[in-house]
Amino acid sequence: MLDLLIFNATLPDGSTNMSVGIKDGIFALVDEGQRPDAREALDAEGQLLSPPFVDSHFHMDATLSLGMPRLNASGTLLEGIGLWGELKPLLTQEGLVERALRYCDLAVSRGLLAIRSHVDTSDPRLLTVEAMIEVREKVKPYLDLQLVAFPQDGYLRAPGAAQSLERALDMGVDVVGGIPHFERSMADGAASVEALCRIAADRGLPVDMHCDESDDPLSRHIETLAQQTLRFGLQGRVAGSHLTSMHSMDNYYVSKLIPLIAEAQINAIANPLINITLQGRHDSYPKRRGQTRVPELMDAGVNVAFGHDCVMDPWYSLGSGDMLEVASMALHVGQMTSRDAMRRCFDAVTVNAAKAMGLENYGIKTGNRADLVLLQAADPIEAIRLRANRLVVIRKGQIISRTEPHVASLSLPGRPETVNAAEYVPGGGTP
Ligand code: FE2
């Protein structure tokens, strides 16, 4: 007998009247219209049942620190980095853990069950690393937290950064990070990419670099990252995060670059909320958007994911833990308004992000771990449009979060009765 059966569900691929059965925390049945015996049964009422949201780019050590010790007045990336530098000596392990756990609670309520977080390794005390490893253990029952050793002040630029990064990896950090555009020169940036890819190859680890987070069209470290990926045989294990300079690059150069990124099987991670607010700050009008070339990368077969990047920290004073907000911003900034493109934006915060993180057993398929979110929406497009309510969040077959359906009462002119607006939501759908 199944432990839990969810029936009458719509899946992200558009299949309807689907039954999803769970036994011992694993998907035991995914089929149309089946109603086998189960200890507990849940009628999805035709609403969207999705694998959980995945955030492939975040900064858990900085989250919820807004205003400590002051606000970012210019709103730029560089003031954000400076402000984080002011905050670092004031950090305590207790405070870091407390804020991160608070954020993870919010994430779970939003159906966000896997996060890749960069962790600043610049401070040789490595307080941030110790704290985030503690958080990774604490949240393990309900959230997959992957950590990236991130030399925020530059791998070659900051004294001792190389040693601190290696120590962080020795402590059990999962992924090698980098920030080549913040090194002192293009040559140092390229040298840092080579050194960090070599470390990843030697240790058998993935790579995820902040890469070309700049409006400078000549910031081309992604080319070096792709080249070194091929050289060290790291295909499929490397992510380029941000890639905002690609927005401003010469089109002819990009026509050569994108096939190289595809050949190296680099995962491209855009961070739409942050890119649209931090980039273009030196422009008057027209102002560049700064989001990387998402549809073009997708069309070339590159795996593209969207990250949240920041929530209430020195770089971004907003954010909600809602990956549908992230997808919506990417959709608007990238003008991805065709039906197919909007569905691909949903993929970028679910399956594509899981692939970028190398998550195993992800997705609604028999034998995979039974992680799910039931959304108050008819399909992925409606989910993005409404930032759909997360009715039920399931981890390893257990319901770990529930939210009551949104209900709003409307009195429409010419209609005497009060209408329950929630009736419009699942039934309205999208063609
Ligand atoms: Fe970042």
Side-chain angles (χ1 to χ4, degrees):
M1 187 190 283
L2 295 168
D3 297 328
L4 175 64
L5 175 72
I6 304 166
F7 61 95
N8 194 15
T10 299
L11 301 187
D13 66 4
S15 48
T16 56
N17 191 29
M18 294 299 290
S19 296
V20 175
I22 298 167
K23 173 96 182 146
D24 299 328
I26 305 289
F27 291 121
L29 166 86
V30 180
D31 207 350
E32 192 187 337
Q34 303 276 321
R35 295 283 178 91
D37 286 343
R39 252 182 278 280
E40 189 183 350
L42 184 66
D43 184 355
E45 299 179 346
Q47 302 192 90
L48 178 63
L49 186 66
S50 171
F53 295 106
V54 177
D55 183 0
S56 53
H57 187 112
F58 194 62
H59 293 263
M60 192 74 83
D61 51 358
T63 197
L64 306 185
S65 67
L66 183 68
M68 297 168 58
R70 62 179 176 84
L71 293 168
N72 182 337
S74 69
T76 60
L77 170 68
L78 292 182
E79 185 175 342
I81 293 174
L83 183 48
W84 175 238
E86 291 172 36
L87 175 55
K88 271 191 268 192
L90 310 175
L91 293 172
T92 64
Q93 181 154 348
E94 206 179 24
L96 285 158
V97 171
E98 186 271 325
R99 288 190 291 275
L101 290 177
R102 212 153 20 103
Y103 183 75
C104 289
D105 286 351
L106 174 67
V108 168
S109 75
R110 304 291 172 111
L112 171 53
L113 299 187
I115 300 175
R116 173 181 276 183
S117 173
H118 295 253
V119 183
D120 187 358
T121 56
S122 301
D123 184 337
R125 294 180 302 160
L126 293 180
L127 204 61
T128 46
V129 175
E130 275 180 27
M132 292 308 113
I133 287 174
E134 184 184 333
V135 171
R136 186 178 62 184
E137 284 308 302
K138 283 201 159 111
V139 301
K140 208 174 234 169
Y142 54 93
L143 189 148
D144 295 309
L145 179 58
Q146 208 177 67
L147 303 176
V148 185
F150 175 45
Q152 171 78 76
D153 298 338
Y155 177 72
L156 297 174
R157 179 173 174 167
Q163 292 81 353
S164 293
L165 181 131
E166 295 262 14
R167 277 173 47 224
L169 296 174
D170 290 342
M171 288 162 71
V173 169
D174 309 285
V175 182
V176 180
I179 185 164
H181 57 275
F182 196 66
E183 303 293 350
R184 285 202 172 88
S185 65
M186 290 292 178
D188 271 6
S192 77
V193 170
E194 181 182 354
L196 291 160
C197 284
R198 178 173 280 115
I199 291 170
D202 289 348
R203 290 177 177 258
L205 294 176
V207 174
D208 189 338
M209 288 193 198
H210 282 68
C211 195
D212 302 323
E213 190 179 3
S214 162
D215 290 318
D216 176 4
L218 295 178
S219 186
R220 295 176 169 186
H221 297 295
I222 181 58
E223 179 188 81
T224 309
L225 183 60
Q227 176 222 356
Q228 296 294 342
T229 297
L230 291 165
R231 176 185 170 198
F232 286 108
L234 299 171
Q235 291 95 320
R237 280 164 49 192
V238 176
S241 281
H242 291 294
L243 307 177
T244 54
S245 71
M246 204 186 294
H247 187 95
S248 301
M249 281 174 183
D250 169 70
N251 289 334
Y252 182 82
Y253 173 70
V254 172
S255 75
K256 174 193 163 204
L257 178 64
I258 289 182
L260 176 65
I261 293 171
E263 183 191 354
Q265 296 168 44
I266 302 264
N267 299 285
I269 302 174
N271 296 295
L273 296 165
I274 308 309
N275 300 152
I276 195 68
T277 46
L278 293 186
Q279 302 306 309
R281 286 275 174 165
H282 296 272
D283 294 352
S284 56
Y285 288 94
K287 284 183 190 290
R288 281 168 289 183
R289 300 173 185 210
Q291 182 167 284
T292 196
R293 302 192 188 201
V294 172
E296 292 80 6
L297 285 162
M298 285 178 167
D299 287 346
V302 175
N303 183 51
V304 181
F306 303 146
H308 204 318
D309 201 2
C310 302
V311 172
M312 298 183 73
D313 69 10
W315 296 273
Y316 189 58
S317 58
L318 300 166
S320 60
D322 184 350
M323 296 308 293
L324 289 171
E325 184 190 358
V326 173
S328 177
M329 181 58 75
L331 184 159
H332 285 84
V333 175
Q335 299 178 331
M336 297 176 67
T337 49
S338 74
R339 316 295 298 170
D340 184 49
M342 289 194 277
R343 284 189 199 96
R344 290 202 281 174
C345 289
F346 188 85
D347 290 344
V349 292
T350 51
V351 284
N352 296 7
K355 187 178 177 193
M357 283 180 64
L359 295 183
E360 291 171 357
N361 299 316
Y362 175 90
I364 306 175
K365 195 175 140 198
T366 52
N368 279 356
R369 196 173 67 192
D371 295 353
L372 289 166
V373 56
L374 179 63
L375 295 152
Q376 192 180 357
D379 57 39
I381 297 170
E382 191 172 74
I384 294 174
R385 183 172 69 81
L386 297 172
R387 318 284 193 278
N389 192 12
R390 282 69 164 165
L391 296 168
V392 176
V393 180
I394 294 173
R395 169 79 163 184
K396 295 180 189 165
Q398 304 288 320
I399 295 175
I400 58 170
S401 174
R402 273 183 193 272
T403 309
E404 288 300 308
H406 286 317
V407 176
S409 291
L410 302 178
S411 289
L412 300 178
R415 290 183 66 180
E417 77 278 26
T418 299
V419 184
N420 180 350
E423 288 166 14
Y424 289 99
V425 175
T430 36

